[in-house]
Amino acid sequence: GENVEQHPSTLSVQEGDSAVIKCTYSDSASNYFPWYKQELGKGPQLIIDIRSNVGEKKDQRIAVTLNKTAKHFSLHITETQPEDSAVYFCAASMGNQGGKLIFGQGTELSVKP
Amino acid sequence: GAVVSQHPSWVICKSGTSVKIECRSLDFQATTMFWYRQFPKQSLMLMATSNEGSKATYEQGVEKDKFLINHASLTLSTLTVTSAHPEDSSFYICSATGGLQPQHFGDGTRLSIL
């Protein structure tokens, strides 16, 4: 079955710097890759997603890139702010946006003011 | 944006009792709902997939008689933890999807069994 590896497990940056989180997946049939932000005591919140027919997608300070050949995708956050501090999860699905998600292990991002 | 409401947010009960958790999609029809379990500082572990009007599909190692799932309508799914014991204590999270909606998550239920 599908396996998603995520790194780093923790990431600390200064406010204003960029943060990059990387994920790899094992099954080339995966076609949908969302990123979620989870704050303490809350459920994950979708922040951006990308489909396998697109190489890059951007939404203000957040961007995601996908390399299907290498089977990896990355989350880029620019101009980080303290409120970006949270745990971020990548995921992969073979059933588009409605399919079962396989999650990475999570990255705890800390943005220091 | 789409909202998924989960209730209760926190419950404490005695060992041996059953606990029901509700998951509602508030502004879209959720043809599929998922139930996850999350341990502290760990990722989300999928427990089961629930399609409206059908029996839930459980992941390997998840006891279907222990974790009863009902998805009788397009806006509501319930998870009942039967005869709960301390090892069932965890953070349970639901998600919902339907049509072109991606998975939207509830805010979870923290279950503590004494």
Side-chain angles (χ1 to χ4, degrees), chain A residues 32 36 38 41-44 46 49 51 89 97-101 103-106 108, chain B residues 34 36 38 41-44 46 49 59 91 93 97 99-103 105-107:
Chain A
Y32 175 68
Y36 287 87
Q38 186 177 28
K42 298 207 166 184
L46 179 69
D49 57 9
R51 301 180 190 281
F89 290 98
Q97 74 278 3
K100 184 166 75 171
L101 293 175
F103 281 88
Q105 296 85 352
E108 186 172 1
Chain B
F34 300 88
Y36 296 83
Q38 187 177 34
K41 293 192 178 295
Q42 292 192 22
S43 189
L44 286 80
L46 180 65
T49 302
E59 294 299 302
F91 192 52
I93 313 174
T97 182
L100 298 178
Q101 291 287 348
Q103 277 192 46
F105 285 79
D107 269 341

Side-chain angles (χ1 to χ4, degrees), chain B residues 28-65:
Chain B
F28 69 97
Q29 293 186 325
T31 50
T32 305
M33 288 186 170
F34 300 88
W35 287 94
Y36 296 83
R37 186 171 179 175
Q38 187 177 34
F39 291 103
K41 293 192 178 295
Q42 292 192 22
S43 189
L44 286 80
M45 182 188 77
L46 180 65
M47 299 175 65
T49 302
S50 169
N51 291 301
E52 186 265 337
S54 303
K55 287 185 178 180
T57 302
Y58 291 81
E59 294 299 302
Q60 192 173 7
V62 178
E63 299 176 58
K64 62 179 182 179
D65 295 329

Side-chain angles (χ1 to χ4, degrees), chain A residues 12-57:
Chain A
S12 182
V13 299
Q14 284 296 131
E15 182 177 359
D17 288 350
S18 295
V20 180
I21 303 170
K22 298 182 179 182
C23 289
T24 60
Y25 60 99
S26 60
D27 198 323
S28 56
S30 289
N31 55 17
Y32 175 68
F33 308 91
W35 286 88
Y36 287 87
K37 175 184 181 182
Q38 186 177 28
E39 297 177 333
L40 194 63
K42 298 207 166 184
Q45 179 186 14
L46 179 69
I47 56 172
I48 195 167
D49 57 9
I50 191 168
R51 301 180 190 281
S52 59
N53 59 348
V54 176
E56 184 174 356
K57 185 176 178 181

